């Protein structure tokens, strides 16, 4: 059972560690991220050390039988201290969180030293990578060792259950609240592991065995620990999904505006201070299009202003009548008419035929209080816009209202 569950848990913990390591490079001074990254790192290490073939190799390397046991379980104790430190940084003022984290780590070091001393007194002679706890259950030093380890384990899990459930009720962020509840549920499941291991110690004293429950101990321990790891990672995963969605939407918006921007930039090249890099390069390298999109939005508006003297009132009136007849109204109608006006203005621009009394754009009074709403509006304009054909640059001006799709 152990050699089935531990590799799966190792993959989960290792993946979380690598993701957080990347975040750590971007936010090197965030103590909560540091503590969380080390939580996953030590958790992955504890699973790795406990896999049978690794256990055997470590024993032969150090020349100490079953030395993998205190190594793996020391990692687990550090995981508990770091998990509590993460909660401290999430819920308390920075200085208080730092002080509490130091106390937690000192307590963890104290438990690890105690375990090391008791393990040294145990002096196991038989290598038992699969049933170590049951095989040495009758040894008094092992009973003391396991009591210390499981005692610290139980105290830590009780703290996680109580704290996470409490903080989940007051969390405003849904992913954080869900993650904390998942941590609490996972910690509660590990009580089964604690109960079986303590029962093994008691069995060693009163001469009964719980060997048949060993697979359930590993199941409770690994499933509970994995749920805890997923719960801690859920807010980070939610943020990454949100960032990925924003990245993708930004690139889509940038591409949707390309046709409109290209037509305006060809008419007035000076609206672009810098030529944009090819979008496919940014996509291949995972770069954000946020700043190029901001520039493109500003440049489109600038290009519209430069066409202001070519806005024919007649073209606007005809476009409004035609578009309204298509069933458009409100912001959609304003976007469609604005697109037609830009088309007609470009035709006049290339024919060098400014209007004596130009009109306004149809969207001039459209309420667009935020940059996001303005961007959405420009995307609608770009969807309705058709650039004038090269032959239309010298066409008869009676046809300049034709911005409709055919």
């Amino acid at each position: 059972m152990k050699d089935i569950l531990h590799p799966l848990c190792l993959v989960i913990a290792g993946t979380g560690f690598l993701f957080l390591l990347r975040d750590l490079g971007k936010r090197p001074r965030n103590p909560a991220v540091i503590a969380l990254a080390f939580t996953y790192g030590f958790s992955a290490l504890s699973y790795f050390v406990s896999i049978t073939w690794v256990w055997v190799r470590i024993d032969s390397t150090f020349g100490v039988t079953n030395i993998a046991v205190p190594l793996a379980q020391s990692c687990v104790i550090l995981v508990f201290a770091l998990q509590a430190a993460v909660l401290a940084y999430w819920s308390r003022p920075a200085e208080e969180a730092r002080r509490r984290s130091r106390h937690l780590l000192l307590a963890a070091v104290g438990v690890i030293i105690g375990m090391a001393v008791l393990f040294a007194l145990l002096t196991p002679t038989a290598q038992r990578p699969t049933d170590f706890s049951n095989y040495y259950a009758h040894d008094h030093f092992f009973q003391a060792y396991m009591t210390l380890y499981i005692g610290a384990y139980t105290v830590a899990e009780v703290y996680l259950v109580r704290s996470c459930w409490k903080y989940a009720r007051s969390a405003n962020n849904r992913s954080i609240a869900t993650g904390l509840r998942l941590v609490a549920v996972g910690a509660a499941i590990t009580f089964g592991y604690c109960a079986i291991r303590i029962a093994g110690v008691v069995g060693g004293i009163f001469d009964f065995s719980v060997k048949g429950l060993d697979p359930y101990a590993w199941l409770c321990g690994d499933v509970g620990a994995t749920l805890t790891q997923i719960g801690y990672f859920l807010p980070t995963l939610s943020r990454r999904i949100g960032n990925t969605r924003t990245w993708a939407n930004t690139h889509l918006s940038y591409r949707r505006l390309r046709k409109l921007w290209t037509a305006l930039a060809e008419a007035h090249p000076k609206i672009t201070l810098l030529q944009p890099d090819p979008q496919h390069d940014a996509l291949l390298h995972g770069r954000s299009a946020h700043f190029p999109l901001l520039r493109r939005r500003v440049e489109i508006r600038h290009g519209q202003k430069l066409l202001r003297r070519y806005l024919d009132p007649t073209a606007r009136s005809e476009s409004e009548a035609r578009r309204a007849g298509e069933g458009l109204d409100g912001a959609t109608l304003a976007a469609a008419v604005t697109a037609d006006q830009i088309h007609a203005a470009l035709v006049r621009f290339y024919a060098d035929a400014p209007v004596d009394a130009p009109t306004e754009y149809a969207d001039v009074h459209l309420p667009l209080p935020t940059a996001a709403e303005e961007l959405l509006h420009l995307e609608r304009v770009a969807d309705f816009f058709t650039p004038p054909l090269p032959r239309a640059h010298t066409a008869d001006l009676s046809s300049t209202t034709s911005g409709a799709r055919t």
Side-chain angles (χ1 to χ4, degrees):
M1 179 66 75
K2 175 174 69 72
D3 286 338
I4 296 175
L5 294 173
H6 276 23
L8 298 176
C9 297
L10 172 61
V11 170
I12 295 172
T15 302
F17 175 68
L18 293 176
F19 270 107
L20 288 165
L21 203 61
R22 182 181 176 184
D23 282 354
L24 195 58
K26 298 177 181 178
R27 296 180 289 173
R29 296 190 177 182
N30 189 320
V33 175
I34 293 173
L36 193 57
F38 276 103
T39 296
Y40 281 89
F42 280 116
S43 183
L45 188 59
S46 72
Y47 289 125
F48 180 71
V49 170
S50 298
I51 297 173
T52 297
W53 69 267
V54 180
W55 179 313
V56 173
R57 182 62 61 87
I58 289 175
D59 283 4
S60 62
T61 300
F62 287 96
V64 179
T65 305
N66 296 318
I67 188 64
V69 173
L71 291 178
Q73 293 178 343
S74 294
C75 290
V76 173
I77 295 298
L78 289 173
V79 167
F80 290 143
L82 290 166
Q83 285 178 337
V86 171
L87 288 179
Y89 281 112
W90 283 356
S91 62
R92 298 175 184 275
E95 187 57 39
E96 183 182 349
R98 277 193 293 269
R99 185 168 60 254
R100 178 174 285 249
S101 298
R102 284 195 296 268
H103 294 161
L104 289 166
L105 289 173
L106 286 173
V109 170
V111 172
I112 291 170
I113 291 173
M115 289 166 54
V117 171
L118 291 169
F119 183 82
L121 294 172
L122 175 63
T123 60
T125 56
Q127 193 175 65
R128 312 295 297 190
T130 57
D131 62 346
F132 179 85
S133 297
N134 293 311
Y135 186 82
Y136 289 98
H138 294 83
D139 188 290
H140 296 305
F141 289 119
F142 176 77
Q143 291 167 1
Y145 173 94
M146 187 56 67
T147 300
L148 176 61
Y149 173 64
I150 293 299
Y153 195 117
T154 304
V155 169
E157 298 294 31
V158 168
Y159 174 78
L160 283 180
V161 171
R162 292 185 58 192
S163 299
C164 290
W165 206 261
K166 172 186 173 183
Y167 297 142
R169 284 198 292 263
S170 59
N172 295 323
N173 186 292
R174 183 178 179 182
S175 66
I176 292 177
T178 303
L180 289 173
R181 289 191 178 95
L182 202 55
V183 171
V185 171
I189 291 174
T190 61
F191 290 153
Y193 172 82
C194 298
I196 294 172
R197 289 291 177 248
I198 288 296
V201 172
V202 175
I205 297 172
F206 293 100
D207 200 24
F208 66 85
S209 175
V210 293
K211 186 176 181 179
L213 297 177
D214 202 53
Y216 300 102
W218 290 120
L219 187 64
C220 290
D222 284 5
V223 171
T226 299
L227 288 177
T228 299
Q229 291 165 0
I230 294 173
Y232 272 114
F233 192 64
L234 195 60
T236 300
L237 181 63
S238 176
R239 187 179 70 249
R240 281 189 173 275
I241 291 174
N243 291 342
T244 301
R245 187 185 298 114
T246 300
W247 179 88
N249 288 339
T250 302
H251 274 283
L252 288 173
S253 296
Y254 186 77
R255 184 173 182 83
R256 287 179 69 183
L257 294 178
R258 183 174 64 179
K259 179 176 59 176
L260 176 60
W261 173 84
T262 300
L264 294 172
E266 287 177 352
H268 292 286
K270 290 185 178 180
I271 66 174
T272 58
L273 297 177
L274 296 172
Q275 285 299 319
D277 295 328
Q279 189 178 12
H280 61 79
D281 287 348
L283 289 169
L284 288 174
H285 292 89
R287 292 195 298 267
S288 170
H290 175 74
F291 182 67
L293 180 61
L294 175 64
R295 280 177 42 198
R296 181 157 289 188
R297 177 170 61 85
V298 172
E299 289 165 359
I300 286 173
R301 285 306 198 187
H302 188 194
Q304 284 186 254
K305 289 179 181 178
L306 294 178
L307 289 177
R308 169 75 173 76
R309 55 197 293 256
Y310 299 95
L311 294 180
D312 186 356
T314 303
R316 174 175 175 174
S317 299
E318 292 179 359
S319 175
E320 287 175 338
R322 185 177 67 257
R323 295 296 189 179
E326 295 173 0
L328 304 182
D329 59 6
T332 307
L333 176 62
V337 173
T338 300
D340 290 346
Q341 287 182 281
I342 295 172
H343 174 98
L346 285 170
V347 173
R348 280 188 169 275
F349 169 80
Y350 286 116
D352 193 20
V355 178
D356 293 332
T359 186
E360 297 282 358
Y361 282 106
D363 63 358
V364 67
H365 297 300
L366 190 67
L368 301 170
T370 66
E373 289 176 322
E374 183 182 24
L375 177 61
L376 181 61
H377 169 68
L378 288 179
E379 288 177 28
R380 291 195 197 102
V381 173
D383 288 341
F384 283 109
F385 175 73
T386 55
L389 298 174
R391 56 185 172 80
H393 294 173
T394 56
D396 182 73
L397 293 181
S398 63
S399 65
T400 60
T401 62
S402 177
R405 292 181 181 272
T406 58

